[in-house]
Amino acid sequence: MAEVTFKGNPVKLIGSQVKVGDAAPQFKVLANDLSEVTLDDSKGKVRLISVVPSIDTGVCEQQTRRFNEEASKLDNVEVLTISVDLPFAQKRWCAAEGIDNLQTLSDHRDLSFGTNYGVAIEELRLLSRSIFVVDSSDKVTYVEYVPEVTDHPNYDAALEAARNAN
């Protein structure tokens, strides 16, 4: 397991971490209209999965805005932002911020994504900042577990991985 800290303090991540080359684990999260969304709902596309602790915080807002801006420049790539925020809060935030090129999804119900991808923070019931790229055949081609949850991910590397996946 990668060592991860939150504001300098070590935290325990629940689940097994995913590695490049792995089959992407399935998950069940909620869309803003409370419908269930799974990995299979975007089958045949490349997925850039941006994971944030809470969309209402500075770094998470910046991360979501950046991937929203870049999403329109990516061909056959679906950009998903997953957090444990309630779907209603995600919908409200996206409407207020003009976020419309990516899909925000909530893992609040049962931490299905968080545990299957090894990013659920046991002590906080939040997701650890991370990025995953899953190709059109459901293979993981890029993984970044950000070592300090309050830091930014490597946007350029993630975007390059999404462009190169097929």
Side-chain angles (χ1 to χ4, degrees):
M1 296 287 282
E3 185 169 313
V4 173
T5 58
F6 183 80
K7 296 183 178 180
N9 298 308
V11 292
K12 181 179 179 189
L13 300 182
I14 302 169
S16 297
Q17 290 190 343
V18 175
K19 294 175 181 51
V20 169
D22 287 353
Q26 287 296 325
F27 58 84
K28 191 181 298 182
V29 292
L30 295 177
N32 294 167
D33 64 2
L34 300 180
S35 62
E36 289 185 346
V37 175
T38 67
L39 182 68
D40 288 341
D41 289 326
S42 54
K43 196 163 202 55
K45 291 186 176 184
V46 172
R47 278 71 45 110
L48 188 156
I49 304 172
S50 170
V51 184
V52 298
S54 177
I55 205 153
D56 283 322
T57 61
V59 176
C60 298
E61 287 179 358
Q62 292 171 34
Q63 181 173 330
T64 304
R65 279 192 200 100
R66 172 76 186 268
F67 285 126
N68 183 66
E69 290 168 12
E70 299 287 348
S72 63
K73 303 173 197 170
L74 299 171
D75 293 329
N76 198 39
V77 176
E78 187 155 336
V79 180
L80 310 173
T81 293
I82 302 179
S83 73
V84 293
D85 295 299
L86 292 174
F88 315 110
Q90 291 177 337
K91 183 177 182 178
R92 182 177 56 249
W93 185 85
C94 287
E97 299 295 326
I99 304 297
D100 56 8
N101 292 323
L102 57 77
Q103 185 176 16
T104 54
L105 300 167
S106 175
D107 197 24
H108 86 94
R109 188 171 57 186
D110 59 10
L111 294 177
S112 167
F113 180 87
T115 54
N116 290 349
Y117 283 72
V119 296
I121 301 173
E122 184 176 65
E123 298 87 341
L124 303 171
R125 201 173 194 285
L126 294 173
L127 301 181
S128 184
R129 188 175 318 283
S130 49
I131 308 288
F132 302 91
V133 174
V134 177
D135 71 12
S136 59
S137 62
D138 296 340
K139 186 173 89 176
V140 176
T141 62
Y142 178 85
V143 173
E144 180 184 7
Y145 290 91
V146 179
E148 167 54 51
V149 176
T150 60
D151 288 347
H152 287 271
N154 186 335
Y155 298 108
D156 294 336
L159 290 164
E160 186 65 22
R163 284 186 202 97
N164 291 332
N166 50 31

